[in-house]
């Protein structure tokens, strides 16, 4: 059963911080998909405090008979630390914080480790590491699931995710907001409709 959202910040509840929990339809769908839907590798942009989708995906992939590999990215080092503590306390999943470095963003000593099952909180700004998405998804041979919960426009990031990570499943939070990632579903629908018309 998916764990409840949890905050380790003093005097706050996870519900006060806007976390996507197991009580939401999106939260339950993500957990079930990652647990039972053929997902072996997942990437999340962005972690936030780690008490919502990070917790659900880390638990679903980390606590099954054949563990998967989960990556979550956030530039804030406090968020990264909090996410690892929440995963440990609420999901009994150990996660490793990996600071991003150089253009590829991935320290050379961790590249082989990323091919093994586990949960990784990648701490750094993906916009300052232009080769990060290409390098990560090349090493992992793509991603089965991508979860997008951005606080900024991903207009220049999504094409890289689509090209290099080739996700089978895409989940987007706040898809009704202008900018951010809300335009992606509409673009994918238009493309599918165009392809269908071309084959009609």
């Amino acid at each position: 059963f998916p764990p409840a959202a949890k905050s380790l910040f003093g005097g706050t509840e996870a519900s006060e911080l806007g976390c996507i929990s197991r009580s939401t339809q999106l939260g339950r769908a993500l957990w079930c998909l990652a647990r039972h839907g053929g997902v072996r590798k997942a990437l999340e942009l962005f972690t936030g405090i780690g008490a919502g989708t990070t917790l659900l995906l880390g638990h679903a992939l980390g606590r099954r008979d054949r563990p998967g590999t989960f990556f979550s990215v956030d530039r804030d080092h406090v968020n990264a630390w909090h996410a690892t503590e929440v995963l440990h306390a609420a999901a009994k999943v150990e996660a490793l914080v990996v600071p991003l470095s150089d253009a590829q963003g991935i320290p050379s000593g961790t590249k082989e480790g990323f091919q093994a099952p586990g949960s990784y909180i990648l701490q750094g700004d993906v916009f300052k590491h232009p080769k990060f998405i290409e390098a990560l998804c090349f090493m992992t041979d793509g991603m089965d699931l991508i979860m997008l919960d951005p606080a900024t426009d991903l207009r220049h990031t999504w094409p890289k995710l689509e090209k290099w990570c080739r996700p089978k499943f895409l989940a987007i939070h706040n898809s009704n907001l202008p900018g951010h990632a809300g335009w992606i579903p509409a673009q994918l629908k238009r493309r599918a409709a165009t392809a269908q018309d071309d084959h009609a």
Side-chain angles (χ1 to χ4, degrees), residues 92-156:
K92 303 297 186 286
V93 168
E94 300 302 325
L96 179 66
V97 174
V98 180
L100 301 185
S101 63
D102 68 46
Q104 288 191 340
I106 301 171
S108 58
T110 61
K111 291 181 179 180
E112 291 184 2
F114 281 175
Q115 297 172 358
S119 292
Y120 305 92
I121 309 299
L122 308 178
Q123 189 266 309
D125 190 337
V126 295
F127 304 112
K128 294 181 180 179
H129 301 281
K131 296 288 187 179
F132 162 71
I133 291 170
E134 176 183 349
L136 178 64
C137 288
F138 178 79
M139 283 188 297
T140 60
D141 192 25
M143 295 287 170
D144 299 313
L145 167 65
I146 289 180
M147 169 66 203
L148 300 179
D149 188 7
T152 187
D153 195 343
L154 295 183
R155 198 162 302 276
H156 299 293

Side-chain angles (χ1 to χ4, degrees), residues 80-91:
W81 167 83
H82 187 266
T84 62
E85 294 297 309
V86 167
L87 282 166
H88 172 76

Side-chain angles (χ1 to χ4, degrees), residues 36-106:
H36 307 293
V39 173
R40 296 181 297 112
K41 300 166 290 185
L43 171 63
E44 176 187 43
L45 302 179
F46 296 94
T47 312
I49 67 166
T53 53
T54 305
L55 174 60
L56 292 171
L57 290 172
H59 178 269
L61 289 167
R63 294 293 305 277
R64 62 189 193 185
D65 293 338
R66 298 183 65 182
T69 308
F70 174 53
F71 302 94
S72 186
V73 185
D74 203 279
R75 64 184 178 183
D76 189 282
H77 70 279
V78 174
N79 282 348
W81 167 83
H82 187 266
T84 62
E85 294 297 309
V86 167
L87 282 166
H88 172 76
K92 303 297 186 286
V93 168
E94 300 302 325
L96 179 66
V97 174
V98 180
L100 301 185
S101 63
D102 68 46
Q104 288 191 340
I106 301 171

